[in-house]
């Protein structure tokens, strides 16, 4: 099962709320389990990070690393890691992603943020992922 548009927007809205509270202008992307873009938002004053959020989400899903471990792996592998992630224009191994899970703990999508510091991006996407999970708990339905 993959994330619905309704739940992707719920994740985006919660992430926007967190980014606004932090005073950070970000771009946000939610992809489904096949890596297809479901929802996207670009906050005012964030013009440089439009593609980054989508690339980060797709890369995290592809490598099944939806936190900062993928960035650490790329940095630690030095030139090899740089070449590995440089082979395509559609990949970006930078932290700031979070899995969106259903009530059984299965990943149904990934949310990514670009524009804040690594810690800010992680806080922002964490708020989005939690909002979808909490909705499932309150509403008593799958995503």
């Amino acid at each position: 099962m993959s994330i619905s548009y309704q739940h992707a927007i719920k994740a985006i809205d919660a992430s926007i709320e967190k980014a606004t509270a932090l005073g950070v202008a970000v771009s946000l992307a939610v992809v489904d389990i096949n890596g297809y873009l479901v929802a996207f938002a670009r906050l005012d004053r964030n013009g440089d990070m439009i593609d980054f959020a989508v690339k980060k989400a797709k890369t995290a899903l592809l490598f099944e690393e939806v936190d900062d471990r993928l960035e650490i792996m790329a940095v630690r592998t030095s030139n090899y890691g740089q070449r590995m992630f440089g082979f395509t224009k559609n990949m970006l191994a930078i932290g700031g992603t979070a899995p969106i899970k259903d009530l059984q703990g299965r990943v149904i999508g990934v949310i990514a943020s670009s524009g804040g510091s690594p810690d800010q991006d992680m806080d922002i996407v964490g708020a989005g992922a939690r909002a979808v999970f909490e909705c499932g708990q309150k509403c008593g339905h799958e995503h």
Side-chain angles (χ1 to χ4, degrees), residues 27-130:
S27 290
L28 300 159
V30 175
V31 298
D32 66 16
I33 58 172
N34 296 310
Y36 294 113
L37 184 64
V38 179
F40 180 84
R42 180 180 64 91
L43 301 184
D44 293 339
R45 304 178 332 271
N46 182 287
D48 297 336
M49 303 294 169
I50 293 173
D51 292 337
F52 281 19
V54 176
K55 290 177 181 181
K56 286 166 69 169
K58 288 182 176 187
T59 304
L61 186 68
L62 179 66
F63 285 92
E64 297 179 354
E65 294 290 343
V66 288
D67 56 25
D68 62 353
R69 289 178 291 182
L70 189 60
E71 180 179 11
I72 292 166
M73 184 172 59
V75 170
R76 284 188 185 158
T77 56
S78 178
N79 286 337
Y80 175 75
Q82 303 302 323
R83 287 193 306 268
M84 181 176 80
F85 292 112
F87 78 89
T88 177
K89 294 179 185 177
N90 295 319
M91 294 176 65
L92 190 60
I94 300 175
T97 62
I100 300 173
K101 296 182 179 183
D102 66 13
L103 293 176
Q104 282 71 43
R106 296 175 298 219
V107 175
I108 57 171
V110 173
I111 184 166
S113 172
S114 285
S117 70
D119 287 341
Q120 289 171 326
D121 281 343
M122 290 302 290
D123 287 346
I124 291 165
V125 296
R130 276 190 307 279

Side-chain angles (χ1 to χ4, degrees), residues 1-2 4 6-7 101-106 108 132 135-137 139-143:
M1 177 142 197
S2 201
S4 68
Q6 176 187 6
H7 287 105
K101 296 182 179 183
D102 66 13
L103 293 176
Q104 282 71 43
R106 296 175 298 219
I108 57 171
V132 174
C135 172
Q137 288 180 318
C139 303
H141 61 80
E142 281 298 310
H143 304 106

Side-chain angles (χ1 to χ4, degrees), residues 10-20 26 28 111 124-125 127-129:
K10 184 169 283 304
I12 293 278
D13 287 346
S15 294
I16 288 172
E17 187 175 322
K18 182 65 172 181
T20 301
V26 295
L28 300 159
I111 184 166
I124 291 165
V125 296

